[in-house]
Amino acid sequence: MSRGEITLTIQRVQSKWAKTKVMLKSDYLRQYMPDTKLFSHSSLKSMLLEYGMIYVKPINGTFGNGVIRVERTFVPSIGYRYQLEQKILFFSSIDSLYRRLASQIKNRRYIVQKGIHLLRHQKRRFDIRVMVQKNLNNKWEATGIIGRLAHPKKIVTNYHSGGTPMSIEMLMSDHTTSSELAAFKNKLRKLSLNIAHHLQATYPNIKEIGVDIAVDLKLHPWILEVNTYPDPFIFRKLNDQSVFHKIYRYAKAYGRFKKRSNHP
Ligand SMILES: Nc1ncnc2c1ncn2[C@@H]1O[C@H](COP(=O)(O)OP(=O)(O)OP(=O)(O)O)[C@@H](O)[C@H]1O
Ligand SMILES: [Mg+2]
């Protein structure tokens, strides 16, 4: 097989906005998607007014880089709190907040998304990554679920930003009984498999997805984003090594580790 052909076998889609628009066409998926708009002065203003807390994210971002959390505050005074990594700033008006964001964003494209108040474990926020892959029979299979516990001072859970991968049994134990958790995991698998089938209609050559899911206090799952180049190695952190072994076996079979002539 030539290098060119290898490149064609696995499709990767970077744009969070393109993937969001495709998923919003599904009535089933829409109930799990936080309101998302392109960043502008008016979307910033309307979303902050409506939700009180929002995430501003680069359309082509990875590893949680450049992700900003903005919320309305009443303490120390009425205004807006902005956090990027560990830098926290306060603004007294939407206009001054917007100027700061615009200078940060420059000419890149960003989205604004309703912020979800994530569940916590030992005071730290966590979210969930579900891995879905083409199996050896070329059928979609949900192969792994793992939690990611945020660094206490960060607003993202990514491993590359100091997050700690951990089993969801450990993270959800304060929030569900074990039978509720089993039902919840089935719900996450069903949701993530549906995303894979739905995206495949538009992107026929995807082979794997990693779905980032936030869970709120009512245990409603929210799709934060869908990665088409998910890190398989995070699953090595689970005690149950059979999960990673299966993920690796499937990934190898569809050519995930072959050298590519262009990078994502
Ligand atoms: N709407 C949101 N509400 C609450 N937390 C969010 C929201 N959006 C993002 N986050 C937090 O920020 C993290 C990073 O955001 P996201 O997954 O969208 O981008 P990314 O990680 O940079 O992209 P990639 O996963 O492709 O590397 C999420 O895992 C989650 O912890
Ligand atoms: Mg992510």
Side-chain angles (χ1 to χ4, degrees):
M1 202 186 271
S2 77
R3 293 193 99 180
E5 281 172 281
I6 290 167
T7 308
L8 279 177
T9 54
I10 306 181
Q11 187 172 13
R12 279 152 202 173
V13 189
Q14 252 211 333
S15 167
K16 292 192 204 305
W17 183 236
K19 287 176 277 189
T20 299
K21 282 192 291 187
V22 170
M23 290 192 292
L24 282 173
K25 289 187 188 152
S26 154
D27 291 339
Y28 168 74
L29 293 180
R30 205 174 309 123
Q31 58 184 322
Y32 299 111
M33 295 182 63
D35 193 7
T36 305
K37 297 201 159 60
L38 277 177
F39 173 81
S40 67
H41 187 283
S42 76
S43 62
L44 177 73
K45 189 173 172 180
S46 65
M47 302 261 289
L48 267 173
L49 197 66
E50 189 161 359
Y51 304 118
M53 194 270 282
I54 57 170
Y55 270 69
V56 181
K57 311 195 278 192
I59 283 183
N60 293 320
T62 49
F63 304 148
N65 291 334
V67 172
I68 303 164
R69 177 184 170 109
V70 180
E71 57 198 298
R72 295 173 78 189
T73 59
F74 303 93
V75 182
S77 58
I78 293 175
Y80 303 92
R81 179 186 190 276
Y82 156 119
Q83 181 169 357
L84 168 65
E85 295 174 7
Q86 297 196 38
K87 187 188 185 91
I88 297 171
L89 302 170
F90 289 93
F91 299 92
S92 56
S93 69
I94 286 270
D95 288 343
S96 57
L97 167 70
Y98 175 77
R99 277 196 295 277
R100 172 74 206 199
L101 286 166
S103 77
Q104 189 79 38
I105 288 169
K106 299 198 176 71
N107 57 358
R108 289 167 298 207
R109 299 219 301 162
Y110 272 61
I111 49 173
V112 188
Q113 192 172 65
K114 173 187 174 184
I116 309 300
H117 292 277
L118 302 189
L119 290 183
R120 289 175 188 257
H121 174 70
Q122 295 176 346
K123 297 191 180 156
R124 291 162 64 178
R125 300 185 181 100
F126 70 88
D127 62 11
I128 295 171
R129 164 66 61 91
V130 183
M131 186 84 167
V132 180
Q133 297 172 278
K134 282 294 182 83
N135 66 17
L136 304 181
N137 298 317
N138 203 31
K139 299 266 188 295
W140 287 113
E141 183 177 325
T143 46
I145 302 182
I146 196 166
R148 303 179 309 172
L149 189 59
H151 179 281
K153 297 203 165 118
K154 298 259 178 100
I155 49 126
V156 300
T157 58
N158 305 64
Y159 182 57
H160 293 91
S161 301
T164 311
M166 212 174 262
S167 78
I168 82 160
E169 282 72 18
M170 182 100 92
L171 295 173
M172 295 289 289
S173 60
D174 317 335
H175 306 283
T176 59
T177 63
S178 61
S179 65
E180 282 166 349
L181 181 59
F184 186 68
K185 283 168 79 173
N186 279 336
K187 186 175 191 171
L188 297 184
R189 281 191 275 263
K190 180 181 167 213
L191 171 59
S192 302
L193 281 168
N194 189 291
I195 296 170
H197 285 285
H198 187 79
L199 285 180
Q200 192 184 16
T202 302
Y203 308 115
N205 293 316
I206 54 172
K207 304 278 187 228
E208 54 182 10
I209 58 168
V211 186
D212 288 344
I213 296 176
V215 187
D216 67 18
L217 280 171
K218 293 181 189 157
L219 297 189
H220 185 80
W222 295 95
I223 305 163
L224 297 180
E225 71 148 345
V226 179
N227 299 277
T228 53
Y229 187 54
D231 175 10
F233 296 103
I234 183 179
F235 290 91
R236 275 194 305 202
K237 305 282 176 192
L238 293 176
N239 285 337
D240 180 0
Q241 287 295 303
S242 69
V243 175
F244 174 69
H245 288 146
K246 185 193 255 187
I247 288 174
Y248 189 85
R249 193 164 71 245
Y250 289 1
K252 198 160 170 242
Y254 53 70
R256 169 65 146 80
F257 306 115
K258 289 206 176 103
K259 279 221 174 356
R260 286 157 45 83
S261 50
N262 63 342
H263 291 283

